[in-house]
Amino acid sequence: MTSPSAAPAKPQAPAPADQPAARFAPSTPGHDAGLLLLRLVLGLTMAAHGSQKLFGWFGGGGVSGTGQFFTASGYPAGEAMAVLAGLTETLGGLGLAAGLLTPLAGAAVVGTLINAIAVHGAGSFFAPQGIEYELLLTAGAAALALTGPGRYAADRFLPVLRGHRLSHGALALTLGVVLGAVLLLVRS
């Protein structure tokens, strides 16, 4: 009688290229739960920031107060910029939290935070004058756009995003960075 560990292992034949297992690395429950946690915390944080701008919730300035800040920061049409930033943060954040259109939601957050970092300035890295908080949110949103939302997400019900592709995330991030840079160019 031989022990089970002494038995030679049978080599596994690779899955055909047309089967999902061959195209996508399998995710584990821990991986998916981690992505869910990251999406919820980052997405709801961004949605709360957006609601400060749009509605004045959580001690925010609302459209009027935020618009004055945008005007003082050199953006034309401060109130319109406040609405744009508020909608981008709120919808992008909610999209991340739900795992809905994750590459675009992450790119929206990245584009907005590029402007936040530029306005805040890079006088130092650490708070209260630094950019560490904004940079952490930017990196988290970019990571979600590139990795996808995991299994516990609304994207699983969208055929084009069911099997997240790196190219979707990279293209969305490129769009977010370009649009964020364009908004910086209109700033005086």
Side-chain angles (χ1 to χ4, degrees):
M1 178 172 211
T2 61
S3 73
S5 61
K10 293 183 182 179
Q12 295 286 335
D18 61 341
Q19 289 183 357
R23 293 185 302 208
F24 310 111
S27 61
T28 64
H31 176 259
D32 294 321
L35 287 172
L36 174 64
L37 177 64
L38 178 60
R39 284 193 353 258
L40 287 173
V41 172
L42 195 149
L44 294 176
T45 298
M46 290 307 301
H49 276 283
S51 67
Q52 286 181 305
K53 292 172 179 64
L54 292 175
F55 311 116
W57 295 351
F58 311 113
V63 171
S64 177
T66 305
Q68 291 172 6
F69 170 78
F70 274 105
T71 300
S73 298
Y75 289 95
E79 286 192 7
M81 293 300 292
V83 170
L84 178 65
L87 284 173
T88 304
E89 289 178 3
T90 302
L91 297 177
L94 291 175
L96 283 177
L100 179 63
L101 302 174
T102 304
L104 290 175
V109 169
V110 167
T112 301
L113 286 167
I114 286 171
N115 278 266
I117 290 169
V119 167
H120 194 266
S124 71
F125 180 74
F126 296 105
Q129 301 301 320
I131 60 167
E132 64 181 322
Y133 175 67
E134 293 87 352
L135 189 60
L136 182 61
L137 291 172
T138 304
L144 286 169
L146 292 172
T147 62
R151 279 188 287 191
Y152 311 130
D155 281 353
R156 286 194 53 136
F157 302 105
L158 302 175
V160 70
L161 293 176
R162 189 173 298 136
H164 181 77
R165 306 233 193 320
L166 176 62
S167 59
H168 293 144
L171 287 171
L173 283 176
T174 301
L175 177 66
V177 168
V178 167
L179 291 176
V182 166
L183 285 177
L184 283 176
L185 292 175
V186 302
R187 186 173 164 229
S188 55

